[in-house]
Amino acid sequence: MPDLTLLHTSPVHVPVFDALRDRHHPGAVLRHLVVPELLERARALGPESQAPAVRELLAGSGGPVLVTCSSIGAVAESLAGELGVPVLRVDRPLAAAAVRTGPRILVLATVESTRTPTAELLEEEAGRAGLPVSVRTRLVEGAWDRFAAGDAAGCLGLVAAAADAVADADVIVLAQVSTAGAQDLVTTAVPVLSSPASGLAAALA
């Protein structure tokens, strides 16, 4: 099994994926690249603006790549051909599962730059599966500020509360790796999906 390069925009994601590896994929070798500036610039200038930087970062990967930032995932995937290695955005398996769960999909995001890429991915996967979907996105106010301040628990609490308030969806998508922990806090009967476990499994496969 070749080493898997993971491109992150926050260092808090590293232990999340290492723990998933240890639990479900012992022996897999993960190489972590942490570049917070990618998300900062994507939020300010748009995700497409980061294509040159992503290309440069991944040029020497030498093997498959998993991009764990939902804002720049599509940009990274589009570079796979010229990089000559498989590039997977972490939320693609999540999107495939979501469109199979039900047609009314609500995306919860904590940064604006994630909303459009995630919605477009869900539409793409729905088209691929031949399934009709209605995708809505919602920004969880204040959640990113909590996360950026180091209050991960506060961020997750706000996201979980937002999920529990949803009554008109067949499935709720947590758009970012940083919000996956809210899955363990929700009380809603609506299925709530997150990306880390399915994304890592797909990349290692």
Side-chain angles (χ1 to χ4, degrees):
M1 180 186 299
D3 294 1
L4 176 66
T5 298
L6 290 87
L7 178 58
H8 309 288
T9 53
S10 172
V12 303
H13 300 337
V14 174
V16 171
F17 286 92
D18 280 346
L20 286 168
R21 183 268 318 276
D22 294 344
R23 191 177 311 131
H24 301 296
H25 313 281
V29 179
L30 306 184
R31 173 174 170 257
H32 299 284
L33 295 177
V34 183
V35 190
E37 309 84 62
L38 288 175
L39 178 56
E40 294 166 12
R41 294 194 299 256
R43 293 180 68 198
L45 304 171
E48 295 77 12
S49 69
Q50 297 313 295
V54 173
R55 183 185 296 111
E56 183 177 351
L57 282 165
L58 299 180
S61 56
V65 175
L66 180 66
V67 180
T68 67
C69 175
S70 302
S71 293
I72 62 168
V75 170
E77 275 193 339
S78 72
L79 299 173
E82 57 187 280
L83 291 170
V85 296
V87 179
L88 176 69
R89 53 191 292 181
V90 73
D91 49 355
R92 184 170 289 281
L94 160 67
V99 301
R100 294 193 302 267
T101 303
R104 298 177 303 164
I105 302 173
L106 179 69
V107 176
L108 293 180
T110 62
V111 293
E112 184 67 37
S113 60
T114 296
R115 294 172 74 171
T116 296
T118 304
E120 289 176 346
L121 175 63
L122 287 160
E123 297 281 1
E124 179 187 337
E125 287 294 330
R128 181 177 295 179
L131 295 169
V133 294
S134 170
V135 180
R136 292 174 297 131
T137 66
R138 187 170 299 165
L139 195 67
V140 182
E141 296 293 342
W144 178 258
D145 292 337
R146 297 278 185 95
F147 178 77
D151 181 12
C155 170
L156 296 179
L158 288 175
V159 173
D164 285 339
V166 174
D168 55 349
D170 298 307
V171 58
I172 298 167
V173 167
L174 302 179
Q176 290 137 286
V177 167
S178 57
T179 59
Q183 242 182 330
D184 300 326
L185 305 176
V186 298
T187 58
T188 178
V190 179
V192 178
L193 305 182
S194 66
S195 62
S198 59
L200 182 61
L204 289 173

